[in-house]
Amino acid sequence: GNVCCPKINLKTSNVKHKLRSVFGDYKLHLGVDGSVTTCNGCPVPKHSNLPLYLYRDRQGRWVAGPEIGAVRGSLRGGQSEDPGLGMDCPCQATMWQCYDNNGKMITLSG
């Protein structure tokens, strides 16, 4: 996979969103040796201010969270017509979801 965007911006129109810290700019993350960090064959962007990452999970969805490769993160991006479709870049996600207080995935609306 190849992330086509040098910078990814996750944003919401809800200024009081409980996960508002997850939103913001993400840029490609370099490891200690200077190489681009990857997960499941795709480069991993890192949040510009926080220890948060965007990484592709085994099903091909993009996940925003603090641990690269974790099954569950704060946000999950996919495509409504095929949620498990392997996307090379987070910009290809047509919908994003988060967990509600009961641990159920809900689709974000902006």
Side-chain angles (χ1 to χ4, degrees):
N2 188 19
V3 172
C4 61
C5 302
K7 182 173 87 172
I8 306 292
N9 179 269
L10 294 181
K11 59 185 174 182
T12 178
S13 58
N14 181 354
V15 295
K16 294 184 179 181
H17 196 283
K18 67 177 183 173
L19 297 173
R20 65 184 168 274
S21 64
V22 176
F23 298 97
D25 291 333
Y26 288 77
K27 296 178 184 176
L28 289 183
H29 178 57
L30 300 180
V32 177
D33 62 357
S35 64
V36 174
T37 302
T38 62
C39 183
N40 292 311
C42 283
V44 175
K46 181 185 181 298
H47 193 281
S48 59
N49 300 319
L50 300 169
L52 297 169
Y53 305 90
L54 274 174
Y55 56 90
R56 193 166 81 169
D57 69 10
R58 291 181 193 169
Q59 288 77 36
R61 295 173 300 224
W62 284 87
V63 177
E67 184 182 341
I68 297 171
V71 174
R72 188 170 158 168
S74 301
L75 293 176
R76 182 174 77 186
Q79 295 183 328
S80 54
E81 62 275 7
D82 186 355
L85 182 66
M87 297 169 289
D88 286 336
C89 186
C91 73
Q92 297 167 338
T94 57
M95 69 172 191
W96 288 86
Q97 299 174 305
C98 69
Y99 290 97
D100 66 11
N101 293 334
N102 299 318
K104 181 180 175 186
M105 290 299 293
I106 56 170
T107 300
L108 300 176
S109 58

